[in-house]
């Protein structure tokens, strides 16, 4: 009997086997969950289908979270195949690449709107569309980054978006709590994924992070997957509206001096 035996989990944000969503999917599968994956476009679909199949899953459906029609169609597909489900994983974030370097104040109105729409509003939109399908005891989980709380060089508009995402977690937890559905976020340390590729200086960021973090290492997709498993299982039955750090302790320490 696994921790998630008999539970159904919708995974949004799997792109490839480096995705944080993949670490979560493996942890959930190992504990008996039945999975459904969404993909944003055909290129991603080609990556997601074989990964899903390797976990014995053929329930793979499109959903661009910028589209209300896509979100409604996704909810309809879940209702048709599953009726209800238990766990919603939102592992989606996007800003235009040119917004992720230089001064934050150069952000454009359009760049701000895109980041907020895809990275923040999408969580609320998906919860709104699926709340009637979520079982009591269920759980919603999103992914955030410490750039929401303290300035992280070049993270810029994504830091502002993650601050709003974390506030959304608290408001959604308040809305869904009376239905015994929990809403939380994992704040992960930097991990090399598709969303981190092409970020100038990412290698150096990983190196200095591991030098400062109390555990003296970077975090992995599996670290995040295991904490996601805890948060979405009955083990975390009274934890909601929280931002749980999976960051090797990084955010707890201040300036360090080499010795
Ligand atoms: P990833 O590139 O593997 O995943 C990002 C996903 O977002 C992709 O699957 C992409 O298809 C999806 N996406 C983008 N726009 C979309 C849209 N309009 N509709 C539907 N899907 C869309 O990268 P990741 O690092 O695994 O990112 C997952 C989450 O983790 C993001 O919210 C990210 O901000 C967060 N996060 C990442 C790190 C890190 O260092 N990698 C650290 C903390 C938090
Ligand atoms: O949340 C993220 C990823 C955010 C992200 C990354 C990209 C790159 C490619 C959002 N949108 C895009 N759009 C693209 O076109 N992280 C926490 C990883 C990350 O991204 C950074 C980081 C870290 C850490 C960007 C700048 C500085 C640090």
């Amino acid at each position: 009997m696994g921790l998630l035996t008999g539970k159904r989990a919708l995974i949004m944000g799997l792109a490839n086997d480096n995705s944080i969503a993949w670490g979560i999917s493996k942890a959930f599968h190992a504990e008996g969950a039945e999975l459904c994956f969404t993909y944003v476009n055909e290129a991603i679909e080609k990556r997601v289908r074989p990964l899903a199949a390797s976990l014995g899953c053929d329930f793979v459906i499109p959903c661009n979270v910028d589209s209300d029609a896509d979100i409604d169609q996704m909810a309809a597909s879940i209702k048709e195949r599953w009726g209800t489900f238990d766990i919603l994983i939102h592992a989606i974030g996007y800003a235009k690449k040119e917004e992720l370097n230089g001064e934050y104040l150069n952000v454009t109105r359009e760049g701000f709107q895109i980041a907020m729409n895809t990275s923040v509003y999408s969580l609320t939109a998906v919860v709104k569309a699926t709340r009637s399908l979520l079982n009591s005891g269920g759980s919603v989980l999103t992914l955030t980054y410490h750039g929401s709380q303290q300035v992280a060089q070049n993270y810029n508009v994504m830091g502002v978006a993650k601050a709003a995402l974390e506030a959304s977690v608290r408001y959604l937890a308040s809305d869904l709590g009376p239905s015994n559905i929990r809403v939380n976020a994992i704040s992960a340390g930097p991990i090399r994924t598709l969303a981190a590729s092409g970020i100038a200086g990412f290698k150096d960021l990983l190196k200095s992070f591991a030098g400062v973090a109390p555990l003296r290492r970077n975090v992995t997709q599996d670290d995040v997957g295991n904490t996601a498993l805890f948060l979405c299982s009955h083990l975390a039955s009274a934890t909601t509206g929280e931002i749980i750090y999976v960051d090797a302790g990084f955010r707890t320490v201040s300036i360090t001096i080499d010795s």
Side-chain angles (χ1 to χ4, degrees), residues 13 15 19-20 40 63-65 91-92 143-144 162 188 190-191 193-195:
S19 293
I20 291 174
V40 62
C63 186
N64 180 335
V65 294
I92 291 170
L143 272 301
T144 186
K162 291 300 193 187
I191 303 178
T193 63
L194 188 61

Side-chain angles (χ1 to χ4, degrees), residues 20 93-101 119 143-147 152-156 158 162 188-191 193-200 202 205-206:
I20 291 174
Y94 178 77
K96 288 170 85 169
K97 196 169 183 172
E98 57 264 35
E99 305 289 358
L100 299 175
N101 60 63
S119 311
L143 272 301
T144 186
Y145 183 62
H146 190 56
Q153 197 175 23
N154 295 332
Y155 199 58
N156 297 358
M158 278 305 297
K162 291 300 193 187
I191 303 178
T193 63
L194 188 61
S197 70
I199 302 292
F202 198 78
L205 172 69
L206 287 176

Side-chain angles (χ1 to χ4, degrees), residues 67-84:
S67 157
D68 287 329
D70 272 29
I71 292 172
D72 288 345
Q73 181 56 52
M74 174 193 75
S77 301
I78 292 164
K79 188 174 183 182
E80 185 181 292
R81 173 126 169 197
W82 277 353
T84 63

Side-chain angles (χ1 to χ4, degrees), residues 91-233:
I92 291 170
Y94 178 77
K96 288 170 85 169
K97 196 169 183 172
E98 57 264 35
E99 305 289 358
L100 299 175
N101 60 63
E103 291 184 312
Y104 163 70
L105 59 72
N106 286 323
V107 66
T108 63
R109 190 180 297 278
E110 192 207 6
F112 192 94
Q113 282 172 175
I114 288 171
M116 292 296 278
N117 190 37
T118 305
S119 311
V120 185
Y121 181 69
S122 62
L123 174 67
T124 300
V126 169
V127 167
K128 181 162 50 167
T130 60
R131 74 176 298 182
S132 65
L133 311 179
L134 274 165
N135 290 319
S136 173
S139 177
V140 175
L141 183 69
T142 188
L143 272 301
T144 186
Y145 183 62
H146 190 56
S148 62
Q149 306 299 309
Q150 290 186 290
V151 174
Q153 197 175 23
N154 295 332
Y155 199 58
N156 297 358
V157 72
M158 278 305 297
V160 174
K162 291 300 193 187
L165 180 71
E166 291 172 23
S168 305
V169 164
R170 292 184 284 272
Y171 279 90
L172 292 169
S174 173
D175 287 345
L176 299 189
S179 306
N180 192 32
I181 296 162
R182 297 175 297 105
V183 184
N184 293 292
I186 289 176
S187 187
I191 303 178
R192 186 175 295 291
T193 63
L194 188 61
S197 70
I199 302 292
F202 198 78
K203 202 177 155 196
D204 295 326
L205 172 69
L206 287 176
K207 198 172 167 222
S208 40
F209 183 97
V212 169
L215 296 178
R216 295 291 190 274
R217 66 171 180 89
N218 288 113
V219 307
T220 66
Q221 291 84 343
D222 290 341
D223 290 323
V224 177
N226 287 329
T227 298
L229 171 63
F230 159 71
L231 283 172
C232 295
S233 78

